[in-house]
Amino acid sequence: MAKKTDLAIEATTAVIDYTDTIISSVELTTSVVIPLSQFIPLIRDVFEIFSKVTDLYRSAQHNKNITMILMQRISTANISVNILQAREDLLTSIYYKSLQRLVQVLHNMIKFIEDITQYNTVQKFLGAKKIENGFKELCKEYDSSMTLLNFNLLVNFNTENEDINLLVNFNTENEDKIVKEDVEQLVKFQEALVESMNDVKQNVFHTNDQMNSVVERISEMAITMHNMQSMMGSKKEDADQIQNKIDIIFRTDKLPFKDYEEADEISIRGERLRKYIQVKTKEEFAFKVVDQYHINKVKNQVTILMKLKDCQNIINFYGLTSDGFKTYLVTEWAEKGSLREYILNHEQNIDLKLKIKIAYDIAKGLNFLNSVKMVHRDIKSENILITHHDIAKITNFSRRFDDDAGNIEISKEYFRYNAPEILRRGFTGEKEKKDKYSKYDTKCEVYSFGILLWEIAERKIPYEQFKDFIEVIRKVVGGYREKFRAGTDIPKKYQDLVNKSVDSNPGSRPIFSRMLTDLQDIFRNLEAPTSRPISNIAPPVRKMTQSTIEAIEDYAINLDSDSFNTVWDSFDYMTLNKAIELHKTDSKKDKKILYKCFDTYAEMDNPKAKYWKAYYISKGWSNLECSEKEKHKLSVQLFKAAADYGEKFPDAQLRYALMVMQGKGVKPDKDEAIKYFLKAAKNGHFVAMFNIATYYYSIHEYELGNYYMISSANKGFEQAINYCKKKNISY
């Protein structure tokens, strides 16, 4: 330990010697004492950011390694910042400014991670180097902020203090390699995913655009349906009232039963599933009897599932029909039946390439579902259908989209595929935990898919040697898994993928996008040697480098900026949240003082401060001496900056949309305005909901128009209420 400390002391001494001029530039001796109460919100922000990034890492579907790198940086910042609470001598204006800057950088990191880890947000990065460039820029800003903060801390530290090691930097060369591999993985994923589109002969860029459009549309509808279903069981309205609203929003007519006739041949699919023929086109369809008790659930599911027709690895859903006695779900007919039947019928006659192709088909379908934020919840061989052309398609979405693990029963049909954490809960009678980690999620889906991959490879029913399903549950919960037979021709990479997928620890299982690209590689080159997966890359090694000094050089330039030399005592080092609170509660508070506060934090790139600065400028409460045209121009730029930051600022999204629509400070652009009205509406702004509803009506998208109009009315917006009354829309 002594050598390690000596190394840190030596490096720190070099930094201090090199930056003597910087010390004088920040004028430590003239810094103002700031009470701890001013620091606490910032320290709390850092902790909350660290907590949030760990959640994002757990749920990441893309760029997981990049997220890990940034999470390590945020963790280091969290440890470093907590030192301030115990060091009264550090509670000065210098540290306050440095901490403000650091907090904003960490917020930017969180926004970046949110964007690159989920498909519906990472789309804007596809086909560009934005991820690599964004990562490098964030790391540079982080290093600058942390270097100044830690340097100031170290000036006051005892050189034998082990906390000195907080100056240690990450291995940037290794990080660059990891980032490039994550980005390459994302490109491979997108390439594999567009293969699932029905018309794969289209231009790749066109298919990407089509895929992204489908994802955005289905995600919006799925969120809408989820929000409506979540209202069921509330005290204000019963299930029938909510279902009535759903039917108003998603108005669909039943298919005419007279247009179909039952096939002549006797169906081997049982009494509940029959083949029907469309009278005019002679096209074949599957008619499945729907229990009347579940009719609303099925109807709501089909509304969304019908939109998945663009994916060739998900069975096509056409709607519902009725013969006057029974209600039927109408879907695509798969000639060769379920995967379970297919395996049993062909026994040993399925060659290796076909087995891998089937696995790859299923992976494409599951990733398509994952991209639109849908979880299947019943992955098993009976729910995979095989068409006449040996294309595997996913079917039987048997549970509501908002079900969680507490609602999934352990049945004799599904226990073979249930993840051990779900089996354990059902087997032991353990009550559902009321925390965010207890829900059925994609990690459970990955496990089920892993079992299915083994079944495809071995052509056997999982655990068929055990007659008692209770015994199977005991063994699986205890860690037992089916093995691959000796001498199998299944590639090792496939076997490794299966073994990782069925790991007892959900956190050790691969993400769906990785499973897709691994199966793509195996399918394209069955004889290729197994390559080392990205997930096995060693984590970054932290070591002392000269980049510490370079980072201080970068920050020395920033120290000369006007924003850093703002006279903070002009608003008494007021926190941003305190200024907002005073705006809302103290009408007599000097607006000029509050504006100075908003202006200072806005110059530090705080999006919330940018919104309030723009708002004050638009209200004439700023100290700017320029024309109205220039004020409008600045306001619209600031509103957009806040609007683009994420879901936190629907007010900024609405105000930017209004200014763009009206052409204030920017050229009028209806499409741009609609884009931001929609963002604000999705984030709960009732005025934006009303505006976007009228837009959807104008383009004959009545289901979405009704949804946003009803949502606006439910939030008490008078114009929406009046519209609903006028059109006899129940809200």
Side-chain angles (χ1 to χ4, degrees), residues 7-20:
L7 177 62
I9 293 172
E10 181 180 349
T12 303
T13 302
V15 172
I16 293 174
D17 291 342
Y18 187 84
T19 55
D20 281 339

Side-chain angles (χ1 to χ4, degrees), residues 48 65 84 129 174 180 198-199 222 225 260 378 380 392 398 402 406 562 683:
E48 290 175 354
N65 294 312
L84 287 170
K129 292 182 68 67
N174 198 31
K180 288 182 182 299
N198 279 321
D199 190 357
M225 182 68 75
Y260 305 86
D378 201 7
K380 57 184 179 182
S398 59
D402 59 342
D562 293 337
N683 292 324

Side-chain angles (χ1 to χ4, degrees), residues 417-636:
Y417 305 87
N418 266 131
E421 60 267 28
I422 304 300
L423 290 175
R424 185 181 298 108
R425 187 176 304 147
F427 183 62
T428 62
E430 176 186 347
K431 293 184 179 180
E432 180 190 359
K433 298 177 182 178
K434 299 297 182 181
D435 62 50
K436 56 188 174 184
Y437 306 120
S438 67
K439 290 186 176 182
Y440 182 96
D441 58 15
T442 56
K443 293 183 178 65
C444 302
E445 298 270 89
V446 165
Y447 178 92
S448 300
F449 185 36
I451 297 295
L452 182 57
L453 290 177
W454 179 89
E455 183 176 356
I456 293 169
E458 293 295 308
R459 304 181 302 280
K460 293 180 181 179
I461 299 173
Y463 311 111
E464 64 178 351
Q465 67 272 33
F466 304 108
K467 301 302 180 183
D468 185 352
F469 85 98
I470 297 297
E471 182 182 1
V472 175
I473 293 175
R474 283 199 181 100
K475 285 184 172 296
V476 171
V477 170
Y480 175 83
R481 300 291 185 272
E482 295 280 38
K483 306 295 183 183
F484 288 91
R485 69 183 185 280
T488 180
D489 61 348
I490 299 297
K492 185 177 185 302
K493 187 171 184 177
Y494 186 104
Q495 296 182 49
D496 291 342
L497 183 63
V498 170
N499 293 333
K500 290 176 183 177
S501 300
V502 298
D503 197 291
S504 296
N505 182 356
S508 297
R509 298 169 197 163
I511 55 181
F512 261 136
S513 60
R514 167 61 65 177
M515 299 185 77
L516 175 62
T517 54
D518 279 358
L519 287 169
Q520 180 193 51
D521 291 341
I522 297 168
F523 177 64
R524 289 184 171 181
N525 192 355
L526 293 176
E527 296 180 355
T530 303
S531 60
R532 182 169 60 94
I534 296 172
S535 56
N536 285 345
I537 295 174
V541 178
R542 298 200 294 177
K543 63 181 183 179
M544 293 298 300
T545 70
Q546 289 300 314
S547 61
T548 301
I549 296 176
E550 293 170 3
I552 289 187
E553 283 185 298
D554 290 338
Y555 211 91
I557 297 172
N558 292 334
L559 287 174
D560 294 331
S561 66
D562 293 337
S563 61
F564 195 78
N565 291 327
T566 301
V567 184
W568 285 57
D569 57 3
S570 64
F571 54 88
D572 196 25
Y573 292 87
M574 189 188 309
T575 64
L576 178 58
N577 287 337
K578 182 64 176 179
I580 296 171
E581 179 186 344
L582 289 174
H583 164 81
K584 294 178 178 180
T585 60
D586 189 354
S587 59
K588 295 182 180 180
K589 183 69 176 179
D590 188 342
K591 295 293 192 296
K592 300 296 183 182
I593 292 178
L594 294 180
Y595 176 76
K596 287 181 181 180
C597 181
F598 297 142
D599 181 43
T600 297
Y601 290 111
E603 291 299 322
M604 295 173 64
D605 205 29
N606 187 298
K608 187 188 294 186
K610 288 182 179 180
Y611 167 79
W612 283 100
K613 178 179 178 179
Y615 180 76
Y616 265 49
I617 292 173
S618 66
K619 291 292 185 180
W621 297 335
S622 71
N623 58 6
L624 295 178
E625 297 181 0
C626 58
S627 66
E628 286 300 309
K629 183 178 180 180
E630 289 298 319
K631 290 180 180 179
H632 286 322
K633 185 177 180 179
L634 178 57
S635 292
V636 77

Side-chain angles (χ1 to χ4, degrees), residues 313-368:
N313 300 117
I314 296 174
I315 206 76
N316 281 343
F317 290 79
Y318 297 102
L320 299 174
T321 189
S322 175
D323 61 3
F325 301 96
K326 295 179 180 178
T327 299
Y328 301 90
L329 171 62
V330 182
T331 66
E332 176 183 4
W333 178 260
E335 185 62 34
K336 296 187 178 180
S338 73
L339 178 59
R340 172 67 59 81
E341 295 168 336
Y342 188 79
I343 290 173
L344 295 178
N345 290 338
H346 287 77
E347 296 182 347
Q348 305 300 314
N349 297 322
I350 307 177
D351 65 29
L352 176 60
K353 189 169 184 178
L354 180 55
K355 286 189 287 189
I356 302 300
K357 178 186 176 299
I358 289 172
Y360 183 39
D361 280 350
I362 299 168
K364 286 186 285 187
L366 290 173
N367 272 275
F368 193 101

Side-chain angles (χ1 to χ4, degrees), residues 172-217:
T172 55
E173 182 179 346
N174 198 31
E175 288 181 347
D176 288 344
K177 180 181 177 182
I178 291 173
V179 171
K180 288 182 182 299
E181 290 177 328
D182 255 13
V183 172
E184 290 173 1
Q185 167 71 15
L186 179 62
V187 173
K188 284 180 61 179
F189 165 80
Q190 178 69 359
E191 180 185 348
L193 196 60
V194 297
E195 285 186 21
S196 69
M197 301 293 287
N198 279 321
D199 190 357
V200 295
K201 295 180 181 179
Q202 297 181 67
N203 178 278
V204 173
F205 292 108
H206 176 75
T207 307
N208 279 342
D209 292 340
Q210 181 187 357
M211 179 70 201
N212 296 340
S213 176
V214 169
V215 168
E216 184 176 357
R217 171 70 170 158

Side-chain angles (χ1 to χ4, degrees), residues 79 121 192 206 235 253 369 388 408 508 571 708 710:
I79 296 170
T121 51
H206 176 75
K235 295 181 180 179
D253 297 324
L369 290 176
H388 179 69
I408 294 182
S508 297
F571 54 88
Y708 283 111
I710 290 171

